[in-house]
Amino acid sequence: MIRSVVRGHGAALPKRVMTNKELEGVVETSDEWIVQRTGIRQRYIAGEGETTASLGAQAARAALDNAGLTPDDIDLVLVATSTPDNTFPATAVDIQRRLGMTHGYAFDMQAVCSGFVYAMATADLYIRGGMAKRVLVIGAETFSRILDWKDRTTCVLFGDGAGALVLEAQEGKGTISDRGILTAHLRSDGTHKDKLYVDGGPSSTGTVGHLRMEGREVFKHAVGMITDVIEAAFAATGTTAEDLDWLVPHQANRRIIDGSAKKLGIPLEKVVVTVDLHGNTSAASIPLALSVAASDGRIKKGDLVMLEAMGGGFTWGALLVRW
Ligand SMILES: CC(C)(COP(=O)(O)OP(=O)(O)OC[C@H]1O[C@@H](n2cnc3c(N)ncnc32)[C@H](O)[C@@H]1OP(=O)(O)O)[C@@H](O)C(=O)NCCC(=O)NCCS
């Protein structure tokens, strides 16, 4: 059977780092409060000329280099983002343009912090359905541009960045020893819409709006939703926590990450954590974390890697991949 195999990875971060200490001058907060509640120590903030499309294109080029491929080899550019450069066209077509691609097709997906998991699951279907041989799957965000910088309950949590993977159709045996995406599980429940949302949009206010969140409510649901969908991925593949080499979670909050790992019986040494460095970069957080851990040699070819995310909607999902 056809499998969607990771052939390359890449990442891009804005030039400017903003530490918790610097945030102390923006809102009434402290480094100690932020670290204790979230594990975040710094985040990257996009400057002039740095946008979701520019960061996404940079991550895409890095992933293509890592794969030893060029834009000519790509059939589909799929971008997960909630902070597009424009309401339309899709950020994906701008990235396609920046890569000099005039062939193939490109579109965006919007599932907030679960966006990258949704995009990977979608790319997998396009590949297995024969509609693409190679897909650039990109998570790219500039959440700093939709934050209310007067609201300390949200502005300390998020950052900007982008990550990308190249997925390639390869022949597999149909067993869990195959490389590639082994199973994908997506969920959403719109009854939670008002717990994490942006209070603007083209059709409602005609403005971009700002991020609003009931942090405690999100926290309350996160661990249960994450562990439930990971259990579904284990059940579908006959695997257990012991078979995993790495858990690469969405990087929202250290306490949510640790709580989920503990509940699943996954030792913390097997969990990739970058939230301290990047903050919550929404759809970019998983590919950024993957790129960090694959570049520093932690994630190796053949490793069994669980990806999971939960975010606005609520949306959530998990994906089991053999690297
Ligand atoms: C946001 C979050 C860190 C807040 O932590 P918490 O322990 O729930 O804190 P609370 O909201 O109960 O607030 C506790 C106190 O800290 C204060 N506080 C909030 N933000 C603060 C900040 N940045 N600095 C200092 N104090 C802050 C609150 O005003 C409150 O003060 P009060 O007790 O005087 O009213 C936590 O709820 C969380 O991580 N939620 C999930 C958020 C998330 O990951 N969202 C993205 C999902 S993709």
Side-chain angles (χ1 to χ4, degrees), residues 35-191:
V35 172
Q36 210 173 63
R37 294 298 217 287
T38 72
I40 298 166
R41 293 180 184 277
Q42 60 168 48
R43 73 285 294 138
Y44 290 79
I45 302 293
E48 213 183 311
E50 290 177 320
T51 67
T52 297
S54 78
L55 293 166
Q58 200 184 326
R61 281 190 207 98
L64 285 168
D65 284 351
N66 181 257
L69 297 170
T70 73
D72 288 346
D73 300 311
I74 299 299
D75 306 307
L76 164 60
V77 179
L78 190 45
V79 176
T81 189
S82 301
T83 47
D85 282 25
N86 297 88
T87 301
F88 77 80
T91 299
V93 296
D94 195 1
I95 293 177
Q96 183 191 26
R97 176 185 68 88
R98 287 166 191 260
L99 295 175
M101 276 175 71
T102 50
H103 68 278
Y105 54 110
F107 63 93
D108 287 359
M109 295 206 71
Q110 217 277 55
V112 204
C113 295
S114 310
F116 192 75
V117 171
Y118 271 62
M120 287 282 281
T122 304
D124 184 40
L125 289 176
Y126 275 74
I127 287 174
R128 288 193 291 120
M131 282 186 67
K133 276 214 162 60
R134 294 197 192 91
V135 184
L136 256 172
V137 189
I138 303 165
E141 303 279 16
T142 45
F143 261 53
S144 66
R145 304 232 157 97
I146 54 163
L147 293 175
D148 175 352
W149 286 95
K150 291 192 177 72
D151 176 10
R152 68 175 181 173
T153 68
T154 53
C155 76
V156 303
L157 303 174
F158 296 88
D160 304 334
L165 295 184
V166 178
L167 288 182
E168 179 177 80
Q170 288 185 15
E171 205 56 58
K173 292 195 176 72
T175 69
I176 59 154
S177 349
D178 288 349
R179 288 187 66 208
I181 296 175
L182 302 176
T183 192
H185 300 265
L186 305 180
R187 309 259 191 277
S188 67
D189 179 353
T191 60

Side-chain angles (χ1 to χ4, degrees), residues 242-283:
E242 275 163 31
D243 298 311
L244 276 194
D245 293 295
W246 296 103
L247 171 66
V248 183
H250 166 50
Q251 309 284 321
N253 181 308
R254 182 77 213 223
R255 288 190 296 156
I256 295 175
I257 294 172
D258 291 356
S260 311
K262 194 170 163 207
K263 196 167 165 199
L264 291 159
I266 302 170
L268 290 181
E269 308 85 74
K270 288 188 174 184
V271 183
V272 175
V273 177
T274 51
V275 70
D276 51 334
L277 302 173
H278 302 153
N280 181 349
T281 58
S282 193

